[in-house]
Amino acid sequence: MNTKALIAAYYDAFNAGDTARMLEFLHPEVEHHVNEGKVRKGRDLFAQFNTHMTENYREELTDMVIFTNEAGNRAAAEFVVNGTYLKTDEGLPEARGQRYILPAGAFFTIRDGLIARVTTYYNLADWTAQVNA
């Protein structure tokens, strides 16, 4: 599978809410760099993060654009997060089923045909303003 197809399949699994399928695209030693928080290393910590996110948020990514370098070992994706805030997340505003639309992006390192690093970026102040409105 080429890098662009790998990233597309990863996000297809995300949109389907299929964490098990997402894990298939990740290197066993994956590093997950989230916008706010510590780097998580390994598939188990990635799965735990996804469980937490699924409990607190329902999200669908649209307007996906995927970029790759010529070597196929690095990639980026830009997309729009269409979400609902389901359950209050620690340190964040109270959840009341608020909807939000948020531009976001991610950067990837590919190793052995799998995603070895995922770094995700979004504007937390924009999200906070939307859920507080």
Side-chain angles (χ1 to χ4, degrees), residues 86-103:
L86 303 172
K87 178 181 169 188
T88 302
D89 206 343
E90 185 179 342
L92 296 175
E94 182 181 345
R96 300 179 313 278
Q98 303 96 311
R99 304 238 345 120
Y100 53 91
I101 298 173
L102 192 66

Side-chain angles (χ1 to χ4, degrees), residues 31-51:
E31 291 188 4
H32 184 212
H33 300 243
V34 294
N35 197 59
E36 302 290 328
K38 297 178 182 178
V39 175
R40 293 167 178 84
K41 295 183 181 181
R43 286 181 181 154
D44 290 342
L45 290 180
F46 182 92
Q48 289 173 20
F49 175 82
N50 265 14
T51 297

Side-chain angles (χ1 to χ4, degrees), residues 26 96 108:
L26 299 179
R96 300 179 313 278
F108 302 88

Side-chain angles (χ1 to χ4, degrees), residues 56-76:
N56 293 283
Y57 310 89
R58 181 175 48 248
E59 297 180 330
E60 179 183 10
L61 308 181
T62 59
D63 303 314
M64 181 74 57
V65 179
I66 300 169
F67 307 90
T68 64
N69 68 347
E70 287 184 26
N73 62 353
R74 294 181 62 201

